[in-house]
Amino acid sequence: MREIVIWGTGAVAKKYYYTIMQDKEITVKYFVDNASVKSFYGHEVYRPTKENCSKYLVVVACENHYEAISSQLTEYGLKELKDYIPYEALGKNVVLVHGNCHVHVIKEYLKTSRSFNDKFYLYPVPLIQDNKKRYIKDDLLENCDVFIYQDIQKDNQFDERLSAEFLSVKAKKKKICIPNVFGMGFFLFPQAIPAKNDEAWSDYIGEGMMKGFFNNRDENIDRLWNDGKRNMAEIAAYLEGEIYDEEYIRDKLEVYFDKMEKREEFWDIKIADYIKQMYKDEQMFFDPAHPCNNILRKISENILEMLDISKDELSEVDVHVAYQEMPIYRCVKDALGLKYDKKYIREVSLWKGAKLVSKNMDLEEYCREYCYWCYGWHPENA
């Protein structure tokens, strides 16, 4: 018999209490709430104190104020996931997934598995780029049942405390290090040059004017622009030519496969062989930094298997990291023997600003929007 205290008397608590009051294995001792409520469905409601929050497991049935409640309980000396938990986590194993934008898609895949949802609760850890605190609480790492994490380098651009080396030693139970293939897609995009801080899509100019979704510059478009070229059809036609020779392109391929193999020595889930086997038949990356869903699904399948769940339970998801998709040059397709041929790009994710037109984005339209964002190009200037 599990004896609990429920924090909350609002709509979430009402809904939650209805779902658990028929569970013979759970006994609700009383409720606590900062609001002035005396009783709740026949139970006493107390103002929270260290004493009445320390007797039983506190189940927080409140979504909007969870962080503030967590801080209050921490002041009482209680530890998250041990002494108090979010209401969705009761009776389940708690999973933390840490990483960049790739893990957002992975989590969506995991949630399509019924068995995963029955057994596990995905704690809402922010993506590394969204983690404003620049750390993950020790309580979460020590008390979670499964810590799934990317091999984030110690010298990452955010904080050393978000690196795999720093976090993994704090996790005390099951740990799964998953592939971090951020930047491993350069072999498909030899034209790509990472934008400087003042050129990135996430920076703003003037009154909220974004530079657009071009986190990587195209060295050939830049060179043509600087040479005075303004005809977008001619620029697109040039990009379809033999810009890079086959040896150079294949050398790039070997360099990044070698990097991936060295990195995956630290991963519990391997992905290099899969990419090697499939890169000719299926597109692997949208741009140098962002993998296609086939890679992320493969990683998700392997995670399920490590959790003793059949990978066959996974369903396809309608989320992607395709908003910065770049074109794969014709010379790259030929040199690598790619069997797929995409006439249009940025089709799977119409995120804000991913493209400026509703029509299909071909290579000419890509050049047009690139020059619009990066150089202020306008059709009248052509």
Side-chain angles (χ1 to χ4, degrees), residues 289-306:
H290 298 101
C292 297
N293 277 24
N294 44 17
I295 292 179
L296 300 177
R297 175 168 182 147
K298 186 68 174 178
I299 295 171
S300 304
E301 290 175 350
N302 290 334
I303 290 173
L304 286 188
E305 290 180 336
M306 294 191 72

Side-chain angles (χ1 to χ4, degrees), residues 41 94 144 152 174 183-184 187 189 207 211 216 220 247 261 269 303 327 338 349 362 364:
Y41 291 106
V94 177
C144 72
I152 304 294
K174 188 176 183 65
M184 296 295 176
F187 70 91
F189 310 97
E207 295 298 319
K211 288 192 176 181
N216 288 280
N220 299 298
E247 183 179 359
E261 289 174 345
I269 291 173
I303 290 173
L338 305 184
S349 179
D362 57 15
E364 183 177 339

Side-chain angles (χ1 to χ4, degrees), residues 17-35:
Y17 182 60
Y18 181 85
T19 63
I20 68 166
M21 66 180 179
Q22 301 175 51
D23 191 328
K24 304 301 183 182
E25 299 300 318
I26 298 175
T27 297
V28 178
K29 302 299 289 185
Y30 48 84
F31 286 74
V32 296
D33 202 313
N34 285 318

Side-chain angles (χ1 to χ4, degrees), residues 114-168:
R114 176 177 294 182
S115 295
F116 181 86
N117 290 324
D118 288 343
K119 297 177 182 179
F120 299 98
Y121 167 68
L122 275 171
Y123 189 95
V125 178
L127 302 176
I128 186 171
Q129 65 268 28
D130 298 329
N131 191 329
K132 296 180 180 179
K133 293 182 177 180
R134 298 295 187 245
Y135 68 89
I136 297 176
K137 289 171 56 177
D138 287 352
D139 286 359
L140 295 177
L141 294 162
E142 293 171 2
N143 298 317
C144 72
D145 298 288
V146 184
F147 181 48
I148 301 172
Y149 62 101
Q150 285 182 327
D151 179 27
I152 304 294
Q153 299 296 292
K154 188 175 182 179
D155 60 349
N156 69 81
Q157 61 179 304
F158 302 104
D159 198 293
E160 179 183 338
R161 294 173 296 174
L162 294 175
S163 68
E165 180 179 341
F166 183 88
L167 296 173
S168 60

Side-chain angles (χ1 to χ4, degrees), residues 263-313:
R263 287 283 297 277
E264 79 171 9
E265 293 178 9
F266 303 97
W267 303 341
D268 296 309
I269 291 173
K270 314 299 183 184
I271 200 67
D273 282 348
Y274 172 77
I275 296 177
K276 284 183 177 181
Q277 293 168 8
M278 301 301 296
Y279 79 91
K280 290 184 179 181
D281 299 309
E282 299 177 10
Q283 184 175 350
M284 293 285 112
F285 289 87
F286 291 115
D287 65 72
H290 298 101
C292 297
N293 277 24
N294 44 17
I295 292 179
L296 300 177
R297 175 168 182 147
K298 186 68 174 178
I299 295 171
S300 304
E301 290 175 350
N302 290 334
I303 290 173
L304 286 188
E305 290 180 336
M306 294 191 72
L307 297 175
D308 297 321
I309 298 174
S310 172
K311 66 180 182 180
D312 296 333
E313 289 196 21

